Amino acid sequence: MPAPLRSLRLALAALAVAAPSCSRDGGGCGREEGGAPPSGSAPAPAPAPAASAPGGPAPVSPAGEPTGSAGGPAQAPGEGPGGEGPGGAAPGGAAPGGDPMAIHHEAREELLGLFSLKAFTERERRLRNPELFLEKNFGGGTPARIHHGNKALAQHTRSKEQCLAGLSGIVLQTEEQRARCGGEENMVPVHRYRRGKPAPAAFCIDIFEFPNRACELPMVWASPTQAAAVCSLQGKRLCTEEEWSLACGGDPEGGAPRVYAYGDELDLAVCNTQMRLRGIDGKPCDGDTARSAYETCGTDTEPSGAYPACRSRFGVFDQHGNVAEIMTRRDRDDGKVYSQLKGSAWFYAEVAREHDAPRPAGRETYPDHCAFSPRWHVEPMENAWHANYHLGFRCCKTIR
């Protein structure tokens, strides 16, 4: 069995029972270099109170949600309903046609209903125990489990209905793309160009941040180890840094790479990157520990796809803003696989810098371009527990 797969199987077994904790005030969860945004580090999941194991999450896409390509034209900002911005709502205003907070779920059953697992053989089910894993690793109320953030503190301004209206007419995935990705919904194949010709696609990538559902909120408080396990239980894996960057800046027609997914000039209004961190009850966000971050930092995300123009040429949404994302990187020196965090969150406006601009003295900034490779919370993947209120992930899948 390959070493990465063996490590993941061991991690799954550990996650289904209990795992060691990790917090910044207890020695740190990895290196931070290059200007990391404020963050807290969650302990690994602890055993949950006894509860009946769910019989399995619901299928990924409800009737009426847009499905289908990377080839459709993306709407420009201001083309959504109401003409007030991407998707149609002015920042800070309630979205017409729905409650923006209605899709912020806390109950485990609601969270699990947003994604599905692959089919397991009886042997795989005995080894992985997916129901126990889901019970221990999903649910609100704690930074130790995966969810939408602390609902009591969160503010969302775009409703699911408004987001779906903004995506109307955009083909998310063609039947050909779905077949190339093994029947997986909301995934697109990504390929390179070699000597002027398209090379066969080697992987597919989720077009939305996990749970990879159009107009649902991305999930946060997942550590790299947990995220890798979730992708594996779906028959996928975490994307590598190189894959993520290609899906962001590459061109399926062989054109020049883009600096940003949406173009070559930084525009904080195209993606969910224009906000700033809010104080809660007059107190600033305190990302010193997982608990302090959970209790003082609002997860002010928007539904995936709520900014239709925040889309790469391959058809991947929200690679800038909304939440930062977990991926993997193989170290050239020791050959080991490490966690790699990239991307920006909704409050990127606080630390934004043009890709070719020098770092200003006395102020922490970073360039959120597709090829930017920071070293935030770098940890060996078999023991990578950093998690926070603005960190999510998406999955990839190798094409056989």
Side-chain angles (χ1 to χ4, degrees):
M1 182 186 300
L5 182 58
R6 187 183 305 114
S7 297
L8 182 56
R9 186 161 291 178
L10 292 172
L12 274 167
L15 283 165
V17 183
S21 64
C22 174
S23 62
R24 287 178 61 185
D25 58 350
C29 291
R31 295 179 290 156
E32 287 187 70
E33 300 175 9
S39 61
S41 298
S52 57
V60 170
S61 93
E65 288 199 3
T67 59
S69 143
Q75 284 180 289
E79 292 183 349
E84 296 171 305
D99 177 9
M101 297 301 296
I103 55 174
H104 190 125
H105 301 303
E106 296 182 291
R108 180 183 297 117
E109 292 74 17
E110 292 177 329
L111 294 167
L112 298 182
L114 296 175
F115 65 98
S116 61
L117 305 185
K118 72 171 191 173
F120 293 96
T121 65
E122 283 304 314
R123 183 173 182 275
E124 286 177 325
R125 188 168 292 279
R126 287 195 304 270
L127 288 172
R128 297 193 175 195
N129 201 341
E131 287 78 17
L132 182 59
F133 171 85
L134 296 175
E135 179 184 335
K136 300 299 184 184
N137 289 276
F138 285 84
T142 170
R145 294 192 180 92
I146 305 167
H147 48 78
H148 287 148
N150 188 339
K151 189 171 184 177
L153 307 183
Q155 287 186 0
H156 314 295
T157 67
R158 290 161 173 78
S159 69
K160 182 174 183 177
E161 293 83 355
Q162 177 189 7
C163 175
L164 289 172
L167 290 177
S168 177
I170 297 178
V171 180
L172 302 179
Q173 179 194 47
T174 65
E175 289 302 319
E176 181 182 359
Q177 288 172 322
R178 184 164 181 165
R180 192 76 182 93
C181 294
E184 298 284 357
E185 190 171 25
N186 290 343
M187 296 194 87
V188 291
V190 179
H191 62 268
R192 296 184 179 278
Y193 261 73
R194 294 192 176 95
R195 298 175 183 172
K197 296 181 179 179
F203 71 97
C204 292
I205 187 170
D206 287 349
I207 64 175
F208 300 113
E209 293 163 327
F210 181 82
N212 194 29
R213 291 279 293 270
C215 299
E216 297 288 352
L217 294 174
M219 294 192 193
V220 293
W221 288 112
S223 70
T225 300
Q226 289 171 300
V230 172
C231 290
S232 175
L233 292 176
Q234 293 184 290
K236 305 177 185 179
R237 55 174 173 76
L238 281 176
C239 304
T240 68
E241 177 188 14
E242 183 182 37
E243 290 170 338
W244 191 96
S245 298
L246 177 61
C248 179
D251 182 7
E253 302 300 325
R258 279 181 178 171
V259 177
Y260 306 100
Y262 51 81
D264 292 322
E265 299 295 329
L266 177 64
D267 187 340
L268 295 178
V270 175
C271 302
N272 187 19
T273 54
Q274 79 285 17
M275 307 299 287
R276 295 181 180 273
L277 285 175
R278 296 179 296 111
I280 307 294
D281 295 329
K283 298 179 181 179
C285 169
D286 178 7
D288 188 51
T289 68
R291 178 54 59 181
S292 67
Y294 182 78
E295 293 177 350
T296 66
C297 305
T299 299
D300 295 345
T301 49
E302 300 294 355
S304 294
Y307 287 72
C310 186
R311 186 187 189 203
S312 76
R313 287 173 289 184
F314 278 104
V316 183
F317 290 83
D318 299 318
Q319 289 187 277
H320 309 287
N322 224 19
V323 293
E325 298 182 27
I326 300 166
M327 57 208 70
T328 64
R329 175 179 58 83
R330 187 174 294 278
D331 190 270
R332 293 179 180 179
D333 295 328
D334 61 18
K336 295 181 179 179
V337 177
Y338 290 85
S339 59
Q340 171 73 66
L341 314 185
K342 288 188 65 168
S344 56
W346 65 91
F347 54 85
Y348 179 59
E350 293 194 0
V351 291
R353 184 170 88 237
E354 294 278 1
H355 70 97
D356 55 357
R359 179 182 296 183
R363 181 168 172 263
E364 187 173 294
T365 62
Y366 69 94
D368 183 37
H369 58 84
C370 291
F372 180 54
S373 182
R375 294 292 182 265
W376 298 333
H377 301 284
V378 174
E379 305 168 274
M381 276 303 299
E382 65 269 17
N383 192 33
W385 296 114
H386 173 78
N388 61 49
Y389 66 101
H390 60 79
L391 179 61
F393 65 99
R394 75 178 75 219
C395 303
C396 282
K397 182 175 183 177
T398 302
I399 294 178
R400 304 295 181 185

